[in-house]
Structures are given as C-alpha cells and as structure tokens.
Amino acid sequence: MTREHYIVGNWKMNQTLEGINAFFEGLLPKLGNSPTHNWIAPQAIHIPLLLKKGEGMIKIGVQNCSYETQGAYTGELSPVALKDLGTDFVILGHSERRAIFKETNSELALKVKQALKSNLKVIYCVGETLEQRESNQVEQILSEQLLGALCGVELDSSKDLIIAYEPVWAIGTGKTATPEMAEEAHAIIRKKLSEIENIDPMTTSILYGGSVKPSNIESLMAMENIDGALVGGAALKAEDYIALCNTNC
Ligand code: PGA
C-alpha cells in the first residue's frame, strides 16, 4: 500500500526574522529532490513571509485555527482567511493546545470540520501522557481522541486528513518512543480509523512526533505504519530539517 510521506516542521512560538532568513539561506540550495512532502507551520504572523520564501518547495501551514469563519472572536484565526492567504494546512489537537489551552475533543471536532470545509488540509494530533501509558490506557485514549473529533468528518480525498501520533512524554524531552512502540500505536490508530465512516485507514498517512531528529528518523520511517514525522526542535535548523527531508522512505 503506498501512502504519502511527510516531514512537517512545527515551529511553535519560535523563530525571528533573522532566524527565518538564515533557515532559508541554508535550506533552499540543498533541499533538492526530497522523497517526502516538506511542510512547515510557523507562527501565524510569519505565514506570508514563508509563503514567499518556500514557494514551490515547502507548503506552509498554521498551528491552530478557529472553528468559526468570521465575526466577533477577538484574537482568533479564521480558516477561511488563512486559506485565502495561501495557507495549505492546519495542525489541530497538538498536546500543548490540549494541555495548556484546554482544547477538548468536542471543540476539536468543530475545528477539524470547519478547517476541512475551508479547504485546509488537517493534521490531527493524538497521543497519551506518561501516566496514561503507565496505567495501560493508550488504546482507550487514542480511541477517545480519534472518535471524539473525527466522527462525521467529510473528506474529498484521503490526503486531506493526516494523523500525527505524538506521545506527550516524548515531546521536547529527548525521549523518543522506540520504533516498535510507535509502530504499535500507529497500528492501533489505523484500526480505530477503520471504525470511522468516510475515512480510509489504509491510505491515511500517520506521522510520528516526539523528539524526532536526523539520528532516529530512519528507524522510525522503516516501520510499516509510520508515514513521516511531525518535528519540533529539529525542524528549526535548516541542516537538520534537510537531513530529515532526505530520509529514505
Ligand atoms: P519535538 O516536538 O520534536 O521538539 O519533540 C514535536 C511536536 O511537538 O510536534
């Protein structure tokens, strides 16, 4: 079964104009014919700049958006306005949004549907905390996060929805799930996706996220159910990002 492969940089609340200029100076000459789709989600204010700098090589996304499209929602980002600007995708349900900003599966269900309706591709993140893993709740948590936000979703193409498995204990900690642990969770996710109407589990790409770097990407990507990576820290430096994008898959 062939699925699309992706390297997605999640820049979180990082990078300045100087850092962005340095990143692209180092990146563009070396990106070449990468075997993966190469995407980056910067801070929203940097989207127009990245659209210009990444043109033709990198698709640009956003790290969150509203479930409304317009109106009196001070501080929110409209998915329609983001699409209008040229934004290609949105990351929804990142564990930092769930933990710090208290986003729930039912709120995320609204966001996923509105983003898809606005023609943004969606990367929907799921993953358990260490406590949940240690009390054998991985399958239950993944099931709640997937079914709770994706039931009733309508897709024009299975490329419009990507899942990212990011165990919370592996994000920014330097602790990566072993390829076998990640593969086990990805297989659970694929099984759960088969329970959701309108989603084809076999053609949906599932990315791994959590302390991915050039030294561990290959063993992760070698797993049958791992179709790429959502990368924080290592996506901030052009050299590491290029190495990730040139991984065999
Ligand atoms: P990390 O972050 O690669 O720095 O662990 C991943 C993420 O939060 O998406």
Side-chain angles (χ1 to χ4, degrees):
M1 177 61 58
T2 56
R3 280 185 291 271
E4 303 293 317
H5 290 84
Y6 301 83
I7 296 294
V8 183
N10 172 13
W11 278 3
K12 309 191 181 185
M13 204 170 71
N14 294 305
Q15 298 287 41
T16 57
L17 293 180
E18 195 186 349
I20 293 171
N21 286 331
F23 183 91
F24 279 93
E25 269 162 36
L27 181 82
L28 291 187
K30 293 197 203 132
L31 200 51
N33 281 334
S34 152
T36 52
H37 294 280
N38 305 318
W39 293 4
I40 291 180
Q43 298 184 65
I45 45 167
H46 291 146
I47 290 174
L49 177 63
L50 264 79
L51 282 168
K52 219 160 111 198
K53 287 193 176 278
E55 210 183 346
M57 307 207 77
I58 293 178
K59 291 244 157 90
I60 307 305
V62 66
Q63 301 165 17
N64 175 38
C65 71
S66 175
Y67 52 75
E68 297 289 350
T69 56
Q70 63 169 51
Y73 302 98
T74 303
E76 289 293 277
L77 291 167
S78 156
V80 169
L82 285 160
K83 183 67 196 178
D84 198 29
L85 195 65
T87 311
D88 207 67
F89 69 94
V90 57
I91 299 172
L92 291 173
H94 190 280
S95 64
E96 286 150 20
R97 301 286 323 165
R98 292 178 188 268
I100 305 168
F101 302 101
K102 310 291 174 224
E103 289 191 0
T104 60
N105 291 327
S106 47
E107 184 181 352
L108 289 165
L110 298 176
K111 291 192 177 198
V112 168
K113 287 179 192 110
Q114 192 61 266
L116 289 168
K117 232 188 257 173
S118 308
N119 294 317
L120 290 173
K121 294 184 176 65
V122 169
I123 300 178
Y124 179 64
C125 304
V126 296
E128 81 287 353
T129 62
L130 185 58
E131 204 182 357
Q132 289 162 341
R133 174 163 282 268
E134 285 173 346
S135 53
N136 290 324
Q137 287 181 287
V138 176
E139 182 157 356
Q140 183 200 325
I141 295 298
L142 294 178
S143 175
E144 285 169 10
Q145 292 173 336
L146 291 165
L147 274 60
L150 300 181
C151 284
V153 91
E154 284 175 31
L155 297 172
D156 291 333
S157 148
S158 57
K159 289 184 199 160
D160 290 347
L161 176 70
I162 295 168
I163 308 298
Y165 169 64
E166 297 204 308
V168 179
W169 47 272
I171 296 177
T173 57
K175 285 185 204 147
T176 325
T178 63
E180 292 73 23
M181 278 159 92
E183 172 65 13
E184 196 185 344
H186 282 226
I188 293 172
I189 290 168
R190 222 174 276 294
K191 193 177 87 193
K192 292 290 162 198
L193 291 177
S194 71
E195 295 170 19
I196 304 173
E197 215 181 324
N198 298 333
I199 295 183
D200 176 358
M202 296 319 288
T203 55
T204 302
S205 297
I206 307 178
L207 317 184
Y208 170 78
S211 298
V212 172
K213 41 190 183 283
S215 59
N216 59 23
I217 182 89
E218 236 164 83
S219 56
L220 289 159
M221 292 280 261
M223 295 286 141
E224 191 185 330
N225 285 296
I226 300 183
D227 309 310
L230 179 55
V231 188
L236 290 167
K237 281 179 264 147
E239 223 178 277
D240 286 349
Y241 184 74
I242 295 161
L244 293 168
C245 296
N246 285 321
T247 307
N248 288 328
C249 50

